[in-house]
Amino acid sequence: MRTIIAPLAVLPLLLGLAPETPRAAEAPGPGDHLAEVLAERTTAEGALRHLTALQRIADASGGHREAGSTGHERSARYATALLEAAGYRVSHQPFTFSHRETTAERLTLTGDGERAVPVRALTYTANTPPGGLTAPLAVAGGEGCAPGDFAGDTYRGRIALIARGTCTFAEKAAHAAAAGAVAALVHDNVPGDTPFTGSLSDPDAGVIPVGGLTLADGRELAAADGATVHLELEQLAEERETFNVIAESRGGDPDRVVMAGAHLDSVREGPGINDNGSGTAGVLETALRLAEHHRGGGATVRFALWSAEEWGLLGSRHYVAGLSGAERDTISVYLNFDMIASPNHALFVYDGSEGPAGSAAVTEHLVTSLAEQGLTAELTPFGSRSDHAPFVEAGIAAGGLFTGAEGLKTEAQARLWGGTAGEPYDPCYHSVCDDLGNIGHEALAANIRVIARTVGRAVWHPEALTTAP
Ligand code: DPN
Ligand code: ZN
């Protein structure tokens, strides 16, 4: 067990005032019992069986499980079969999305030091004209997140060179385009051998061609400010169909629905075992154990395995957009699990303090649940990078766990959770090595316990989860 460095939220727990401790005269309710049983029985070993299955599926499906692919479909069939056998009412919710496939990505520094520079087209980039375009580079100020970072007439007709960080790629591209730039190149802000893969997150955001570079190449090109480059970026667009998997418990109160979700799709670059086989396995294993130990009554529990998260949260957006006002009002809480077993893990809990009513309480419950295992959580802003975002925007109380993606672990975090400072939480994020070897077992075990306990509690006391402990 680790030393407990208590954030304020767990102080009541340390003082023996935790909500989980039955008050003197009160017998533990059925919720407490179910939560304890589920926390015991829902294990990393159980989750690993699902992760192994997802790895096999990816191996047999071209190495990935991206939305609209055989790999995703087989993953969905795997989960559906288990959920149906466990007694859930399972439905598939179809939707179409604009799939992109890169057909050209080339960058050449022209002139004396002529050389090819590795570049990756960002998803939803605009295409360069046939044969590409040739223009001088112009380095953006700051991180290219404000119009002032593209001041004057310097960028007109040029290719803006921008550092990654602080704002979205789409915002950087929009500022560059507004200043008259004909394309944008975003270089990484951490060292790496290959350009990062990124997305503009919105099919309409590709106003100019946008590519990604390594930090080293970005620095070299920045030093050659004004040098002329030739850029060719091309992506084919195609409408494809995919679907969300929704599994609902039978016999629960239809007016009180507890939702837990994870995205099932991977990126095309790899099998997606941490991102997001881990969240999928956590949700699936919790659902299977819940079905074993709970025979109806209490709230309805609805598990969601979203598709096309990697294309801009499309499955969860489609789902939330399709809810009537009355349906939305029945959802007591949405819990999101995206990347819960990063190998160089953080233990992040989304900070609900600025989210919809009830979210701050969810945060406290999740933090407390980690503290009960002797673990210290750190809060991270909701942000807009995973499937909780559409729920938060719709005013539904939300919360969730996250063990980190491309961000770098700090010294303080390494002291708190172990692992390596200065290295990414997930060195295989969105790449081919996000396989079974890319799973942090300690984080998986801790987080799956939190998921099971939280869902177990919420079945009988959904309102307790969104009420301050
Ligand atoms: N949305 C994750 C991905 O699928 O790439 C990464 C992520 C999750 C980032 C949660 C921030 C918070
Ligand atoms: Zn993800």
Side-chain angles (χ1 to χ4, degrees):
M1 260 222 195
R2 298 171 193 284
T3 340
I4 301 177
I5 304 168
L8 279 184
V10 301
L11 272 181
L13 170 75
L14 297 179
L15 299 172
L17 301 173
E20 299 69 26
T21 317
R23 265 159 246 128
E26 227 174 79
D32 304 292
H33 179 66
L34 179 61
E36 294 324 306
V37 171
L38 280 189
E40 276 315 307
R41 306 281 165 88
T42 315
T43 63
E45 290 68 46
L48 276 168
R49 284 205 311 274
H50 307 309
L51 293 176
T52 306
L54 294 176
Q55 177 72 61
R56 285 210 188 102
I57 288 170
D59 291 345
S61 314
H64 64 85
R65 303 182 299 104
E66 82 161 343
S69 75
T70 320
H72 172 265
E73 222 164 279
R74 287 176 172 155
S75 303
R77 241 186 281 146
Y78 169 78
T80 300
L82 290 175
L83 290 162
E84 274 180 346
Y88 288 94
R89 190 178 294 120
V90 184
S91 59
H92 289 176
Q93 182 187 35
F95 60 95
T96 57
F97 68 104
S98 182
H99 182 274
R100 299 294 154 108
E101 190 176 328
T102 299
T103 47
E105 39 188 7
R106 265 185 289 280
L107 176 65
T108 316
L109 177 61
T110 62
D112 287 348
E114 172 158 339
R115 72 169 182 107
V117 181
V119 63
R120 292 291 310 261
L122 266 66
T123 304
Y124 302 129
T125 178
N127 291 339
T128 51
L133 59 82
T134 304
L137 292 167
V139 181
E143 286 171 312
C145 293
D149 291 339
F150 302 87
D153 221 33
T154 324
Y155 299 89
R156 191 156 305 282
R158 299 193 165 195
I159 298 177
L161 181 60
I162 314 168
R164 187 179 187 182
T166 305
C167 64
T168 64
F169 300 128
E171 285 167 305
K172 293 174 199 280
H175 291 310
V182 290
L185 293 170
V186 180
H187 69 74
D188 214 338
N189 50 3
V190 292
D193 297 338
T194 51
F196 62 91
T197 54
S199 172
L200 296 173
S201 302
D202 172 359
D204 299 324
V207 283
I208 50 173
V210 190
L213 308 175
T214 65
L215 176 60
D217 284 332
R219 286 202 175 132
E220 194 184 318
L221 291 182
D225 190 11
T228 295
V229 296
H230 181 76
L231 176 67
E232 201 179 344
L233 295 176
E234 197 178 88
Q235 256 168 18
L236 286 182
E238 181 185 277
E239 286 300 297
R240 286 201 185 168
E241 190 168 293
T242 186
F243 58 92
N244 296 322
V245 178
I246 313 280
E248 190 165 292
S249 63
R250 296 174 200 266
D253 181 350
D255 293 323
R256 289 183 309 162
V257 180
V258 171
M259 285 194 72
H263 74 86
L264 181 60
D265 64 307
S266 75
V267 291
R268 195 184 178 81
E269 282 72 20
I273 299 303
N274 183 38
D275 181 13
N276 186 29
S278 64
T280 296
V283 164
L284 184 55
E285 187 61 11
T286 299
L288 300 181
R289 300 286 79 82
L290 174 68
E292 237 168 51
H293 295 284
H294 178 60
R295 291 268 156 262
T300 293
V301 188
R302 190 181 295 154
F303 296 99
L305 297 176
W306 311 116
S307 188
E309 187 272 354
E310 299 291 5
W311 293 88
L313 321 179
L314 301 185
S316 52
R317 281 202 187 288
H318 178 78
Y319 177 83
V320 173
L323 294 173
S324 68
E327 284 167 335
R328 202 184 312 150
D329 290 344
T330 63
I331 302 175
S332 307
V333 62
Y334 172 71
L335 301 167
N336 192 59
F337 304 104
D338 187 0
M339 307 182 73
I340 62 160
S342 302
N344 189 29
H345 73 268
L347 292 174
F348 292 126
V349 169
Y350 301 143
D351 182 356
S353 61
E354 277 164 26
S359 306
V362 178
T363 304
E364 274 195 67
H365 283 281
L366 295 172
V367 168
T368 303
S369 192
L370 282 163
E372 286 169 345
Q373 302 181 56
L375 297 168
T376 305
E378 202 173 283
L379 301 189
T380 188
F382 267 130
S384 53
R385 281 184 60 182
S386 191
D387 297 301
H388 53 276
F391 289 85
V392 170
E393 286 161 24
I396 296 167
L401 304 172
F402 175 48
T403 52
E406 78 286 355
L408 303 182
K409 187 174 254 184
T410 65
E411 296 285 350
Q413 290 173 336
R415 281 194 293 277
L416 198 53
W417 302 314
T420 315
E423 299 267 311
Y425 303 112
D426 180 353
C428 290
Y429 176 60
H430 283 186
S431 64
V432 67
C433 61
D434 184 9
D435 57 20
L436 262 187
N438 191 45
I439 287 295
H441 293 253
E442 214 184 312
L444 180 63
N447 281 334
I448 198 163
R449 211 179 157 89
V450 174
I451 300 173
R453 188 187 293 267
T454 307
V455 169
R457 250 177 222 150
V459 169
W460 289 107
H461 306 293
E463 47 300 305
L465 191 57
T466 49
T467 311

